[in-house]
């Protein structure tokens, strides 16, 4: 794994760790860097120097060096960099020139999502096009296709929920069909109209794709689907007569997590015009919630039943601030090793079990008059 110029791995190991202790003395490593030409990527060399300078005991774990060289940065290495003096010698990514279109986009994503310069450098160096951020793209494409199919079939592109045939879709969550479990997820593919679809698609592409590029498909899909499920379950508890359509639960989970991460790491975020962009995002999200409340309680046209609830927006935001913030702050660190992660998971599972029992028993016990399902 290690290859320093004309030195073999064993030569390098003897020079770095002559006593075979598993640790590298700072002076040995610094001397090798200063007196021999290393065939290392400059960004990795910067991180190695930062790791050496951050250690107060005057030694560096040889295994951490191996993991860096093999592109497997451990959480202990990351903490050493984060807690140390982090003397990084290269110019910041924003000043690099001569990059191709894709690398410029990667640089933009790094500054948009990550608050730490070391993390940005690492992501910029390690980023690969494969696997691509496919989850958010696939969800958006399916939502557009479903909307267009119903728009053509019903010849209606706005306020589709006022069309009785639209609410007969097997994808819509309706309290009268709550025994059909898939509806607690599938409602995210249906939308009230063109304006709701456009707002959700724009937000989840602008925020979701960069988040997925940095944090991976598993974490972002988990966050998105947790917001979707929390949205339908919250409606089934707090607004028991209302149906639900739209992907707002997942979208608001992504947006609130990103905005909370920006606020928590305000000094380290280098995305341009961050204050103006945050204000615009909050205004747009608040306007969408206000519009959903208006449609729920004061619909502009008479309809055959209650209009879709707005509670999915709020529950998605709660999921984003709780679960999502921890996911975004734990870049390249194992969530399973963090106590706070298990607290959040336990809380979500508790809410899930409560919602299941509520949907089984509470409607009959409370005598809720559910409008007949379409």
């Amino acid at each position: 794994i290690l290859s320093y110029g004309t030195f073999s791995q064993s030569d390098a190991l003897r020079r770095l760790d002559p006593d075979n202790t598993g640790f590298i003395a700072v002076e040995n490593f610094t001397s090798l860097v200063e007196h021999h030409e290393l065939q290392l990527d400059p960004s990795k060399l910067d991180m190695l120097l930062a790791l050496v300078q951050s250690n107060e005991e005057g030694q560096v774990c040889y295994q951490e060096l191996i993991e860096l060289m093999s592109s497997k940065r451990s959480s202990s290495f990351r903490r050493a960099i984060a807690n140390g003096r982090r003397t990084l010698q290269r110019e910041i990514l924003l000043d690099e020139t001569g990059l191709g279109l894709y690398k410029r986009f990667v640089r933009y994503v790094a500054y948009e999502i990550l608050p730490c310069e070391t993390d940005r450098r690492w992501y910029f160096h390690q980023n690969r096009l494969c696997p691509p951020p496919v989850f958010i793209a696939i969800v958006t494409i399916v939502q557009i296709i479903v909307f267009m199919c119903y728009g053509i079939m019903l010849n209606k592109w706005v306020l589709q929920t006022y069309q009785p045939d639209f609410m007969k879709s097997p994808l819509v969550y309706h309290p009268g069909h709550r025994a059909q479990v898939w509806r607690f997820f599938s409602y995210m593919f249906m939308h009230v109209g063109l304006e709701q679809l456009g707002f959700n698609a724009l937000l989840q592409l602008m925020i979701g794709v960069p988040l997925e590029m940095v944090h991976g498909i598993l974490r972002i899909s988990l966050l998105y689907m947790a917001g979707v499920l929390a949205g339908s379950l919250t409606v089934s508890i707090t607004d028991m007569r209302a149906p639900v359509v739209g992907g707002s639960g997942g979208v608001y989970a992504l947006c609130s997590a990103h905005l909370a991460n920006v606020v928590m790491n305000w000094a380290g975020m280098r995305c341009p015009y961050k204050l103006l962009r945050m204000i615009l995002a909050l205004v747009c999200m608040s306007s969408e919630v206000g519009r959903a409340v208006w449609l729920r309680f004061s619909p502009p046209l008479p309809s055959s039943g209650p209009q879709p609830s707005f509670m999915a927006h709020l529950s998605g935001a709660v999921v984003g601030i709780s679960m999502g913030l921890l996911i975004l702050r734990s870049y390249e660190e194992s969530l399973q090793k963090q106590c706070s992660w298990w607290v959040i998971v336990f809380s979500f599972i508790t809410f899930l079990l409560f919602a299941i029992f509520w949907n089984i028993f509470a409607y009959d016990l409370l005598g809720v008059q559910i409008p007949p399902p379409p």
Side-chain angles (χ1 to χ4, degrees), residues 52 103 308 338 340 362:
V52 169
K103 293 302 289 185
Q338 302 185 45
S340 53

Side-chain angles (χ1 to χ4, degrees), residues 254-266:
L254 296 178
C255 294
S256 60
H258 178 57
L259 293 179
N261 190 43
V262 172
V263 171
M264 293 292 293
N265 301 280
W266 186 262

Side-chain angles (χ1 to χ4, degrees), residues 53 84-85 91 125 139 169 175 187 205 226 231 244 255 267 278 290:
Q53 296 165 356
R85 292 185 291 274
E91 295 180 350
H125 173 75
V139 168
S169 169
Y187 77 93
L205 287 175
V244 188
C255 294
M278 174 164 288

Side-chain angles (χ1 to χ4, degrees), residues 46 88-97 99 107 110-111 116-118 120-121 124 268 270:
D46 284 344
L88 298 175
Q89 300 173 352
R90 298 178 65 204
E91 295 180 350
I92 61 174
L93 293 177
L94 201 61
D95 293 336
E96 294 188 13
T97 59
L99 298 176
R107 178 177 59 186
Y111 274 92
C116 174
E117 181 65 19
T118 303
R120 289 191 284 258
R121 300 257 187 97
F124 183 79
R270 299 297 179 87

Side-chain angles (χ1 to χ4, degrees), residues 142-262:
V142 173
Q143 289 173 340
I144 293 174
I145 291 175
V146 170
F147 178 82
M148 292 183 64
C149 289
Y150 278 95
I152 294 173
M153 181 177 65
L154 304 175
N155 193 26
K156 192 174 183 65
W157 301 93
V158 295
L159 297 178
Q160 291 185 344
T161 52
Y162 290 85
Q163 170 59 254
D165 290 336
F166 179 84
M167 299 303 292
K168 293 179 181 179
S169 169
L171 302 178
V172 174
Y173 169 81
H174 189 280
H177 291 310
R178 64 187 183 280
Q180 300 174 358
V181 179
W182 72 84
R183 290 177 180 262
F184 286 90
F185 296 93
S186 62
Y187 77 93
M188 71 179 187
F189 298 115
M190 308 290 289
H191 287 83
V192 172
L194 185 62
E195 64 284 353
Q196 186 191 27
L197 172 66
F199 179 82
N200 285 347
L202 182 63
L203 276 183
Q204 67 189 21
L205 287 175
M206 290 181 60
I207 296 178
V209 170
L211 286 177
E212 188 176 346
M213 289 179 63
V214 173
H215 297 282
I217 184 173
L218 291 179
R219 292 190 177 195
I220 298 306
S221 60
L222 172 64
L223 176 59
Y224 189 91
M225 296 308 296
V228 169
L229 180 59
S232 55
L233 290 176
T234 301
V235 171
S236 71
I237 295 173
T238 61
D239 200 359
M240 300 168 67
R241 293 173 48 86
V244 188
V245 295
S248 298
V251 172
Y252 275 62
L254 296 178
C255 294
S256 60
H258 178 57
L259 293 179
N261 190 43
V262 172

